Amino acid sequence: MTSQAAQSGFISHLVELRNRLMRALLSILLIFLSLVYFANDIYSFVADPLIQHLPENASMIATDVTAPFFAPFKLTLFAALFLSFPFILHQIWGFIAPGLYQTEKKMLIPILISSILLFYGGISFCYFVVFPIILGFFTGIGPEVMTLTPDISSYLSFVLKLFFAFGIAFEIPVAIMLLCWSGVTTIENLKEKRPYVVVGAFVVAMFLTPPDVLSQTLLAIPMLALFELGLVLASFYSKKPQPQETEEME
């Protein structure tokens, strides 16, 4: 009976996981269908930082016949994925929450909300701060005899890579809080490893951004600032010794 009950519980968890995954995918699909009509407008909005720095008579081009259709289509699909991020996290939370204590829920809810805000903050920082700087730099260093005509597909790959890099990088404070709260590491241990973190930030930025020093620096510096912010916030989430552990220490 015990094994049957365990098997039944395992199957019910799998069914619930499947249902929540289906809801998450459905949310992406619904948002995509509501945005696909505006696919060209969305691409124009994302391309605006580049357009602002192009020479007066220059424009973007499509080197592939299907690119004018698939580039905005692909961007809209990723936009739907980014916009559905809160609902996806809500489904993840709904799956793991029943196995948590009430105190754990109270501590993790602010982290969940912070992760959503930081993710969107990273994308916004990339679009409004990083893009104008790096695009202005790259479009202004070429020789005058060269006419800059960026390909729409190449620009889309460049944009999505940076959006993803900055969205994930801005989750550093959340990762630090979770590591300290779970007892995997401590604030003091992370402070001791600060020199390695500095080197690691630039190495990670090198892999996540295009192969240029400017993009890597613009990602690495916020990562280091977010690391320091994570250390401050982790002081409120550090794992406290249990009463039994305290008695044993005494």
Side-chain angles (χ1 to χ4, degrees):
M1 293 294 292
T2 303
S3 60
Q4 291 179 351
Q7 183 177 6
S8 176
F10 178 72
I11 293 175
S12 66
H13 282 300
L14 288 180
V15 172
E16 182 183 1
L17 178 61
R18 183 201 62 183
N19 292 338
R20 293 193 176 277
L21 287 175
M22 293 299 295
R23 291 172 191 168
L25 292 175
L26 182 61
S27 68
I28 299 174
L29 178 61
L30 291 177
I31 295 176
F32 171 75
L33 292 177
S34 64
L35 294 178
V36 69
Y37 179 78
F38 307 99
N40 291 333
D41 296 326
I42 295 173
Y43 191 93
S44 297
F45 174 77
V46 173
D48 185 66
L50 175 62
I51 300 298
Q52 296 294 329
H53 291 91
L54 288 179
E56 185 176 351
N57 297 323
S59 63
M60 301 184 71
I61 63 172
T63 57
D64 190 346
V65 176
T66 61
F69 171 77
F70 281 110
F73 185 89
K74 181 180 178 181
L75 177 59
T76 305
L77 180 60
F78 275 92
L81 177 62
F82 290 156
L83 291 175
S84 62
F85 186 62
F87 185 79
I88 294 174
L89 285 182
H90 175 72
Q91 293 302 313
I92 296 174
W93 173 256
F95 181 74
I96 66 174
L100 300 176
Y101 294 108
Q102 193 65 30
T103 55
E104 293 175 331
K105 293 180 182 179
K106 291 181 179 180
M107 295 183 68
L108 290 178
I109 287 177
I111 292 181
L112 182 66
I113 297 174
S114 299
S115 65
I116 296 173
L117 296 178
L118 287 170
F119 180 77
Y120 288 137
I123 294 176
S124 300
F125 178 82
C126 181
Y127 180 83
F128 291 105
V129 178
V130 176
F131 280 178
I133 295 176
I134 62 177
L135 294 176
F137 174 76
F138 287 129
T139 55
I141 62 173
E144 295 182 359
V145 296
M146 180 190 69
T147 301
L148 182 63
T149 53
D151 176 63
I152 61 173
S153 297
S154 298
Y155 178 71
L156 177 60
S157 299
F158 172 81
V159 165
L160 292 179
K161 188 173 185 179
L162 283 181
F163 277 162
F164 177 79
F166 277 85
I168 297 300
F170 269 56
E171 300 291 339
I172 289 176
V174 173
I176 292 176
M177 287 188 289
L178 287 174
L179 289 174
C180 293
W181 173 74
S182 62
V184 174
T185 187
T186 62
I187 298 175
E188 291 73 19
N189 190 24
L190 291 174
K191 288 181 178 179
E192 293 175 359
K193 292 181 171 58
R194 187 179 278 119
Y196 302 100
V197 172
V198 174
V199 176
F202 282 91
V203 172
V204 171
M206 179 180 64
F207 285 102
L208 292 181
T209 60
D212 64 272
V213 177
L214 184 60
S215 299
Q216 295 167 10
T217 304
L218 289 174
L219 178 58
I221 292 178
M223 288 174 65
L224 295 175
L226 291 166
F227 172 77
E228 298 297 332
L229 176 63
L231 293 179
V232 175
L233 297 177
S235 61
F236 301 99
Y237 282 85
S238 297
K239 187 176 182 180
K240 303 296 190 299
Q242 300 297 326
Q244 184 178 356
E245 295 177 357
T246 305
E247 293 177 0
E248 291 178 357
M249 293 176 60
E250 295 176 353

